[in-house]
């Protein structure tokens, strides 16, 4: 049986303590909530912390609360809970689709939305056992200094593999981070990521993702289409998140964010420009060419490489298709309306999630 | 802070029995069940959360024990395959799997049964599609899955015994129950 | 849903009923102990150190640091186990631990026994091995080229060629000359692996120079032989117990390094030693489907009657022999068991590459040529403008005939399964529309190989049945790998003795306690062990009947055996009476395939079987013309089972076979990159989940084979075979393109569509077949068509 290397485990009393422990122990410490990403990677020697700080049990990370400013979801809320939340589904259908598409039911029972935002980048030269990587020669993401899929690359080309991050970005969500002293900062979800598979998050080592804040849904439809081989278990091989705002029948704005085509979620909203000012009906049926043009432009900056399942050219083609499908899906939805506080009653404040 | 690998105390209820264990923080719940508690009914298939064979219930929820750390389940109630039957009486899901061919080699069966129990506990009358979705993280290489869906459906409908067409088949089903009481 | 043809013979007992498995209770409660569930006092744990190089000389192995580690009890290298072994006597080319050279990434070089797995692993990492890397052999093309440096093995050849065959039955050139139409095609079948849910595990215990091994093995007898040889012990000092298996599919058929290592370590340390592989190690242990390149040329007349066929294959064998020579011959053996081929030429080759060794997987050597043959026939039918089913029917073999390569065919339900699967699926009435298709294919498979893996005069299966105060016990070497062989044995004994299967105690798969059965491979258990058990149980029944008849003053014919009664006596009373009359009640039965079921030429040992099962499949699917994605809606599978001893178990084997066949058709692949397995995990090796598995309609056709137990034939392997070509055919039906390479992944479908869009051949697949140094043809006169066949 493949086993974990030794480490210490501390159950944090609160988020501030967790942040403090991270700051104190530097790269020797990591947070664990669900552990669904961390534990396999530790078994394979890809991540090698000597201290795990348990945060899955913290009540302060387990809330779903609504106000006029939108909905805040604690980082410790499980993907299963989000996937089953009808109110979230009505307000942020794309986000809930994404949460429901992660892996399998048991993993969604353990995996958290904070964990999915921070899920390690993936690469089939990297997501291998210590012995496998040693046999090939280590790569720059762990223990080595070259990129195995693109040897000339100066940075790591491991793939952003979060299903929920692209939707969060498309919805204009923000992420609340807590630092070691308990200080909070809020940054756009898009700014949580950077274009290097090794250092793919911009958060400081001592910072803990406390919550995700989704802005009021007012007017924004959203959809997520995931490219994968099997309907369960698999990580995305590509995918598109779309958020679409309308005034009456007219498209006011459209954001498109791709996943699994590079080291960070790729915001390609500029490609949606031709849709703005056009009637929804054109998207839904009339102008097939328009949608194809937008989708082609959207995937143009995507540069998938041969470090995931199936052929990278197919992955790009499929991502283009995912863009079209996501736009269509979003356009078909009824426009979300009403203030979120009305949709989410005071009872929305959830209890703690057991780790 | 204690040194890496130093043991810690974990309190657990497993199949209704309380345990206070001194465990290595890096031994997964799978190892703890199989090796410390000698409950070997929980299986390992992939070691990485990819196959569902090690599924157990943690406070009623299906979880993969190969990914769970002892520190995450301190104070929790676990149900393993050894705790599914009510004493000598098999759970309807167990009878259904036996009667309808929901198992062949049987290696995925403990995880499959617990994932199915988690489903029926929250949704007592699932559709076939809902059964498939709930079990989609549990791989099986023998059955082709259809008989498992049949079994979960029959258990949900309380229709396991109806599967027996005559006295011979009813007797065989009874023999399963008897064998469960007195393993040879 | 299952449909069963009306049985020819009415049965009132337990044969034919959909009964639960005899070990079902132990499996649903978690009580059954698989190999890794075994815990012995004082047990040590073993880990193997494996090669990081695809091909390298082992210059030195320094175990000093490992031996010095606290908790390490013993370390072995190849010097401790120098005897070579291999499942086939003609290629005993493996060493439990290699000390001269390694031939694939994952080849074991050292074994450590320590107090726990972590310590054993740390000690493996502390072993210093100096390697001198040699040129890797990564593909069939590499292996056929002159070696860059030394070849992988110093036997066989030329270069990295392992085995060659060239056979001709009848005058092939004359057949082609007479043909109105000749077509050639090239196909490739990527390798794939068994992926049993259970990782291999073995535990050994030794005392007084005797060693016992409990292992997840399909073939305890062959492991027994290999252990005795490698350990240098008399066979009587070695006992192999096959633990309940968590799936095999052919992957647990060879003797393995970890099995040998734990035995040696147990002997050396005097303590029990266990080795359980990690999932990644299972991918190195492999013995899976050979990647196979195939070329086929067929000549037909205007009506599509086959006049001649020439089939070439070259198999990528990986690093060792394993069952390879048989695997290779199987790629040419069973084409004539479905179609009358009056003149047939087969040229086969197996090459060594620096990859995990290939071996037998469900369908052993026949899924690849079946895929090629069926798709090739579809293409011929299309060119001739003949319906593909009609073309096949015109060529179907008849029951009780002999094939051009001398295989004796007995019961054969090809026409019936075709009728039934077409009726059920509505294939002939299907509406053609872009993106939706149906495909049809047929196949056949053996009910056990006519010859053992090594030459011997043993019966292929033996069985002892005892009865006494403790009940009825069946002793048989057969091994339940999940396919239900224990239930089959219990059902057969119960049927003969008028009992329920649950009343039969079983001792199986234990070389120390049971007479030899050759193992759970080649779909042989129901046919062979079933016949042996039936003979043994029938003899016991005879004793019981005689004793009761004598006591009651009736003739034996008047004594009924049913419902746990022998005549007027309860079963236990009858046993007591018979024991008093005859002494200890122990009867035996055995089975040996009849002579003369195959030919007498070199290579004739592969293909003969006492009977053949037949399967027909229709696959209905959507294939997306934009994405290439395939969504299989339904599979209809009609199987000539001979007779279903347990309908529930048979249906399970059909559905499982269809599932694995779809996996191979659509996604499963053991591929390599830079000499390493590309997908050594259950996430990256794609197999179907619940959500990809379509509905299956199983149709059982009972042809009642004259020699099968109660007329039964195999079902474990056959139903997988037609699924793969039927998928390819359905994709063509849907999109008009051929994907001549398995698995049919969406990127390949798109590339075929792109090829068509650019005006090229509307296909994806290999462009050509390499030059293979086949030997001169061995010409074999076909059997006289007029001669009687039985």
């Amino acid at each position: 049986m493949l086993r974990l290397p030794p480490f210490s485990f501390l159950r944090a009393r609160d988020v501030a303590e967790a942040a403090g422990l991270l700051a104190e122990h530097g790269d020797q410490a990591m947070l664990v909530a669900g552990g669904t990403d961390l534990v396999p990677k530790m078994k394979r020697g890809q991540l090698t912390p000597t201290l795990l700080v348990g945060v899955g049990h913290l009540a302060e990370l387990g809330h779903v609360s609504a106000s006029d400013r939108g909905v805040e979801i604690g980082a410790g809320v499980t993907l299963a809970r989000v996937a089953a939340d009808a109110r979230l589904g009505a307000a942020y259908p794309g986000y809930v689709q994404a949460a429901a598409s992660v892996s399998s039911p048991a993993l969604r029972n353990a995996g958290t939305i904070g964990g999915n935002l921070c899920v390690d980048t993936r690469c089939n030269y990297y997501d291998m056992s210590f012995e496998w990587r040693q046999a090939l020669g280590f790569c720059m993401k762990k223990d080595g200094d070259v990129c195995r899929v693109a040897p000339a690359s100066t940075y790591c080309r491991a793939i952003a593999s979060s299903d929920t991050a692209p939707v969060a970005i498309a919805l204009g969500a923000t992420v609340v981070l807590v630092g070691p002293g308990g200080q909070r900062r809020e940054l756009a979800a898009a700014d949580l990521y950077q274009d290097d598979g090794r250092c793919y998050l911009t958060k400081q080592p001592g910072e803990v993702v406390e919550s995700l804040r989704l802005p009021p849904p007012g007017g924004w439809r959203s959809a997520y289409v995931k490219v994968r081989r099997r309907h369960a278990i698999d990580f995305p091989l590509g995918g598109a998140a779309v958020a679409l705002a309308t005034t009456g029948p007219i498209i006011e704005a459209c954001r498109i964010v791709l996943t699994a085509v590079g080291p960070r979620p790729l915001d390609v909203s500029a490609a949606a420009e031709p849709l703005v000012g056009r009637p929804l009906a054109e998207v839904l049926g009339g102008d097939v060419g328009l949608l194809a043009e937008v989708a082609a432009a959207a995937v143009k900056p995507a540069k998938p490489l041969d470090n995931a399942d199936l052929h990278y050219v197919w992955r790009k083609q499929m991502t283009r298709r995912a863009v079209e499908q996501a736009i269509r899906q979003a356009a078909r939805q009824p426009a979300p309306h009403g203030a979120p506080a009305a949709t989410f009653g005071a009872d929305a404040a959830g209890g703690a999630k057991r780790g | 802070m204690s040194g890496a690998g130093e043991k810690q105390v974990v309190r657990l209820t497993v199949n209704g029995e309380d345990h206070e264990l001194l465990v290595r923080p890096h031994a997964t719940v799978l190892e703890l069940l199989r090796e410390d508690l000698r409950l070997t009914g929980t299986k390992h298939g992939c070691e990485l959360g990819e196959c569902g064979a090690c599924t157990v219930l943690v406070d009623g929820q299906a979880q993969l024990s190969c990914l769970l750390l002892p520190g995450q389940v301190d104070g929790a109630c676990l149900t393993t395959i050894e705790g599914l039957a009510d004493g000598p009486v098999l759970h309807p899901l167990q009878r259904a799997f036996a009667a309808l061919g929901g198992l062949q080699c049987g290696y995925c069966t403990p995880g499959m049964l617990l994932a199915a129990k988690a489903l029926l506990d929250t949704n007592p009358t699932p559709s076939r599609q809902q059964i498939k979705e709930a079990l989609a993280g549990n791989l099986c290489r023998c059955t082709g899955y259809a008989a498992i869906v049949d079994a979960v459906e029959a258990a949900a409908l309380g229709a396991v015994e109806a599967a027996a067409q005559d006295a011979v088949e009813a007797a065989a089903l009874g023999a399963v129950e008897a064998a469960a009481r007195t393993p040879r | 849903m299952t449909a069963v043809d009306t049985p020819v013979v009415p049965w009132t007992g337990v044969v034919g009923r959909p009964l639960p498995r005899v070990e079902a209770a132990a499996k649903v409660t978690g009580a059954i102990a698989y190999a890794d569930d075994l815990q012995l006092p004082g047990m040590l744990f073993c880990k193997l150190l494996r090669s990081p190089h695809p091909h390298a000389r082992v210059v030195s192995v320094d175990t000093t640091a490992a031996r010095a580690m606290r908790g390490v009890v013993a370390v072995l290298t190849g010097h401790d186990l120098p005897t070579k072994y291999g499942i086939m006597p003609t290629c005993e080319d493996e060493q439990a631990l290699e000390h001269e050279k390694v031939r694939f990434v994952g080849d074991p070089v050292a074994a450590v026994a320590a107090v726990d797995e972590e310590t054993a692993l740390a000690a493996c990492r502390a072993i210093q091995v100096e390697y001198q890397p040699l040129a890797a052999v990564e593909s069939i093309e590499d292996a056929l080229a002159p070696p860059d440096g030394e070849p992988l093995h110093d036997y066989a050849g030329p270069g990295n060629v392992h085995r060659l065959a060239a056979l001709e039955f009848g005058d092939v050139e004359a057949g082609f000359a007479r043909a109105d139409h000749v077509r050639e095609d090239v196909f490739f079948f990527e390798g794939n692996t068994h992926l049993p849910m259970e990782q291999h595990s073995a535990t050994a215990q030794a005392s007084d120079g005797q060693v016992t091994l409990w292992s997840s093995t399909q073939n305890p007898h062959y492991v027994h032989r290999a252990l005795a040889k490698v350990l240098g012990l008399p066979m009587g000092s070695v006992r192999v117990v096959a633990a309940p298996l968590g799936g095999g599919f052919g992957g647990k058929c060879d003797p393995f390094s970890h099995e040998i290592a734990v035995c040696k370590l147990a002997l050396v340390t005097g303590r029990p030693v266990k080795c359980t592989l990690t999932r990644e190690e299972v991918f190195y242990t492999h013995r899976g489907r050979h990647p196979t390149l195939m070329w086929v040329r067929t000549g037909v007349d205007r009506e599509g009657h086959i006049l001649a066929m020439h089939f070439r294959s070259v198999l990528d064998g990986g690093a060792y022999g394993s069952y390879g020579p048989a695997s290779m011959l199987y790629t040419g053996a069973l084409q004539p068991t479905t179609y009358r081929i009056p003149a047939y030429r087969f040229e086969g080759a197996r090459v060594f590459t620096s990859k995990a060794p290939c071996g037998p997987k469900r369908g052993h050597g026949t899924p690849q040529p079946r895929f090629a043959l069926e798709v090739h026939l579809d293409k011929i039918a299309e060119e001739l403008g003949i319906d593909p089913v009609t073309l096949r029917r015109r060529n179907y073999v008849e029951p009780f005939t002999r094939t051009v390569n001398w295989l004796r065919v007995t019961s054969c339900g090809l026409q019936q399964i075709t009728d039934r699967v077409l009726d059920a699926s509505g294939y002939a009435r299907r509406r053609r529309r872009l993106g939706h298709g149906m495909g049809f294919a047929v196949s056949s498979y053996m009910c056990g190989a006519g010859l053992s893996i090594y030459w011997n005069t043993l019966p292929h299966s033996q069985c002892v049945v005892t009865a006494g105060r403790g009940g009825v016990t069946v002793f048989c070497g057969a091994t339940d790998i999940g396919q239900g062989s224990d239930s089959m044995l219990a059902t057969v004994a119960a049927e003969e003795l008028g009992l329920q299967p649950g009343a039969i105690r079983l001792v199986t798969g234990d070389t120390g306690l049971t007479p030899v059965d050759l193992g759970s491979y080649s779909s042989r258990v129901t046919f062979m062990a079933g016949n042996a058990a039936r003979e043994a149980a029938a003899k016991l029944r005879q004793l019981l009947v005689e004793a009761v008849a004598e006591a009651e003053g009736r003739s034996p014919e008047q004594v009924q055996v049913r419902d746990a009664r022998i005549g007027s006596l309860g079963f236990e009373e009858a046993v007591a009476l018979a024991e008093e009359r005859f002494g200890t009640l122990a009867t035996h039965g055995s089975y040996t395939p009849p002579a003369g079921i195959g030919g007498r030429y070199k290579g004739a040992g592969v293909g003969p079987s006492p009977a053949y099962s037949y399967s027909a499949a229709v696959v209905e699917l959507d294939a997306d013309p934009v994405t290439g994605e395939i969504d299989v809606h339904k599979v209809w599978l009609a199987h000539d089972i001979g007779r279903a001893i347990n309908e529930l178990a048979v249906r399970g084997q059909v559905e499982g076979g269809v599932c694995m066949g779809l996996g191979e058709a659509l996604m499963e692949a053991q591929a390599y990159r830079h000499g390493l397995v590309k997908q050594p995990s259950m996430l990256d090796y794609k197999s179907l989940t619940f959500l990809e598995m379509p509905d299956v309609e199983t149709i059982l056709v009972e042809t009642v084979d004259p020699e099968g137990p109660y007329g039964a034939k195999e079902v474990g392997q056959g139903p997988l075979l037609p699924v793969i070509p039927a998928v390819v055919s359905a994709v063509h039906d849907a999109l008009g393109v051929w994907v001549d390479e398995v698995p049919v992944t969406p990127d390949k479908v798109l590339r075929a569509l792109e090829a068509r869009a650019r005006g090229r051949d509307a296909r994806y697949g290999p462009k050509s077949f390499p030059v293979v140094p086949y030997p001169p043809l061995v010409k074999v006169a076909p059997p006289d068509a007029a001669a009687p066949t039985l």
Side-chain angles (χ1 to χ4, degrees), chain A residues 62-67 70-74 77-100 113 167 171 212-215 217 220-222 333 336 340 343-345 348:
Chain A
H63 61 287
V64 177
S65 55
S67 70
V71 172
E72 184 173 295
I73 309 176
V77 171
T78 63
L79 293 161
R81 197 171 141 205
V82 167
D85 191 317
R87 295 164 306 181
L88 280 176
Y92 308 103
Y95 183 72
V96 169
Q97 280 177 321
I113 66 128
V167 195
L171 287 169
L212 178 74
R213 286 182 180 162
L214 296 164
W220 285 95
R221 301 159 159 92
S222 61
Q333 290 164 4
T343 321
F344 294 82

Side-chain angles (χ1 to χ4, degrees), chain A residues 11 21 36 42 58 63 67-68 77 88 95 103 113 154 179 181 197 208 216 267 279 315 340:
Chain A
R11 248 167 119 102
L21 285 164
T36 55
M42 286 181 70
L58 293 177
H63 61 287
S67 70
D68 288 343
V77 171
L88 280 176
Y95 183 72
S103 192
I113 66 128
T154 53
V208 176
D267 189 335
R315 286 168 45 215

Side-chain angles (χ1 to χ4, degrees), chain C residues 510-585:
Chain C
D510 182 332
T511 65
L513 299 181
T514 62
V516 171
D517 173 272
L518 292 175
S520 284
Y521 66 96
S522 86
S523 269
R524 51 177 298 291
V525 177
T526 291
F527 208 96
M528 301 194 180
N531 269 323
R534 190 182 188 187
E535 183 190 341
K539 285 179 182 167
L540 179 63
R541 168 196 171 112
Q542 191 58 33
L543 294 178
L544 298 176
V545 165
E546 272 183 42
V548 171
E550 201 174 276
E552 294 183 346
R554 295 196 278 169
S555 76
E557 293 72 41
Q558 291 172 306
V559 177
Q560 281 211 337
V561 177
R562 56 179 303 164
D563 300 329
R565 300 195 72 78
I566 312 286
S568 62
L569 295 188
F571 187 82
E572 289 179 8
E573 293 172 282
V575 166
L577 192 68
E579 212 170 19
E580 192 184 316
R581 170 73 180 76
F582 299 111
T584 303
L585 296 177

Side-chain angles (χ1 to χ4, degrees), chain C residues 299-311:
Chain C
V300 294
D301 67 14
R302 276 182 198 86
E303 286 79 45
H305 295 105
I306 298 169
L307 301 177
M309 183 181 290
H310 183 179
F311 199 99

Side-chain angles (χ1 to χ4, degrees), chain B residues 59-83:
Chain B
D59 294 331
Q61 276 199 330
Q63 296 269 1
L64 300 182
S65 61
C66 76
L67 299 182
L68 278 178
L69 305 174
Q72 292 175 296
V73 295
D74 197 5
C77 287
L78 272 65
T79 304
T80 70
I81 189 65
E82 289 89 349

